[in-house]
Amino acid sequence: MFEAYIGLLLLCLCVYLINRKKLPSYFIYLGWLIVAVLLTEVVSRYIDSIGINTNPLDHLYQLLEIWLLSLAYYHVLKNKKIRKIIITVLVLVSIVYPVSSFFLEGIYNDCILSYLLNGILIISLSLVFFQELYNDENPEMNILSHGFFWINCGNLIYYSGSFFQMGLNTYIRDFNPELAAQLKSIGHVLNYFLYATYLIGFLCIKKQKS
């Protein structure tokens, strides 16, 4: 299953690299996100196999992820107030996340707080994007050919599901570790769905405003 997941990520990266000149300029952040996911997954798998704690890498990834996704939304969203909020949030998380990792949760423990905060932020930005799309007065726009529409759908569903799964997992793992382990399968399904929507988004090479 891990190999299939890596294969999907590699396919996403290849399609992005092939179509990058025909995609909006802000897609570069999504391309780098795929690279970050690939490296994190492969390195985590390796260091876990030799008995090294992977949580420090997860803490670093959460900060990198929110930066890359937020920058993509910063460029795609039109609302100037929202864009200012995004910059402010990025400054804050650059301070809060390291403090949380080193002093609250512990760098060698699960990064639950930053994971949940990422979920809240991306869900919020996804809903703002849909609102702007709904209010768009361009009658000629076909949303199904809008690459970021698919990516935003993936983000909204993935982070909504992951938020629920992570919260439930954290709650039950102390008294029912077997059920908590089974719940991880939800995360695997959500991962496949997320990057399938990214793949579709990278295939939408119709000219769009960048």
Side-chain angles (χ1 to χ4, degrees), residues 69-83:
L69 283 174
S70 294
L71 287 173
Y73 278 100
Y74 175 85
H75 288 283
V76 76
L77 295 176
K78 300 174 183 177
N79 189 308
K80 292 182 179 180
K81 290 183 179 180
I82 296 297
R83 294 173 70 164

Side-chain angles (χ1 to χ4, degrees), residues 44 46-56 108:
S44 292
Y46 172 71
I47 63 177
D48 182 62
S49 70
I50 59 177
I52 298 177
N53 192 317
T54 64
N55 284 326
Y108 293 105

Side-chain angles (χ1 to χ4, degrees), residues 20-107:
R20 68 186 186 281
K21 293 183 179 179
K22 300 177 183 179
L23 293 168
S25 58
Y26 54 81
F27 269 55
I28 188 172
Y29 301 111
L30 303 174
W32 279 114
L33 179 63
I34 297 297
V35 172
V37 175
L38 266 169
L39 290 176
T40 302
E41 292 289 354
V42 172
V43 173
S44 292
R45 180 84 167 201
Y46 172 71
I47 63 177
D48 182 62
S49 70
I50 59 177
I52 298 177
N53 192 317
T54 64
N55 284 326
L57 188 60
D58 292 336
H59 282 269
L60 175 62
Y61 173 77
Q62 293 304 318
L63 181 58
L64 181 60
E65 177 189 64
I66 195 60
W67 263 92
L68 291 172
L69 283 174
S70 294
L71 287 173
Y73 278 100
Y74 175 85
H75 288 283
V76 76
L77 295 176
K78 300 174 183 177
N79 189 308
K80 292 182 179 180
K81 290 183 179 180
I82 296 297
R83 294 173 70 164
K84 289 181 180 179
I85 291 173
I86 289 174
I87 296 301
T88 303
V89 168
L90 286 177
V91 172
L92 290 175
V93 299
S94 297
I95 299 170
V96 171
Y97 280 21
V99 170
S100 173
S101 295
F102 286 100
F103 301 107
L104 296 179
E105 295 182 304
I107 195 70

Side-chain angles (χ1 to χ4, degrees), residues 78 132-141:
K78 300 174 183 177
E132 288 195 355
L133 202 60
Y134 177 78
N135 293 330
D136 196 310
E137 297 179 355
N138 182 5
E140 298 181 358
M141 185 180 68

Side-chain angles (χ1 to χ4, degrees), residues 11-21 23 31 35 202:
L11 182 59
C12 285
L13 181 59
C14 290
V15 171
Y16 166 75
L17 292 174
I18 292 170
N19 292 338
R20 68 186 186 281
K21 293 183 179 179
L23 293 168
V35 172
F202 293 156

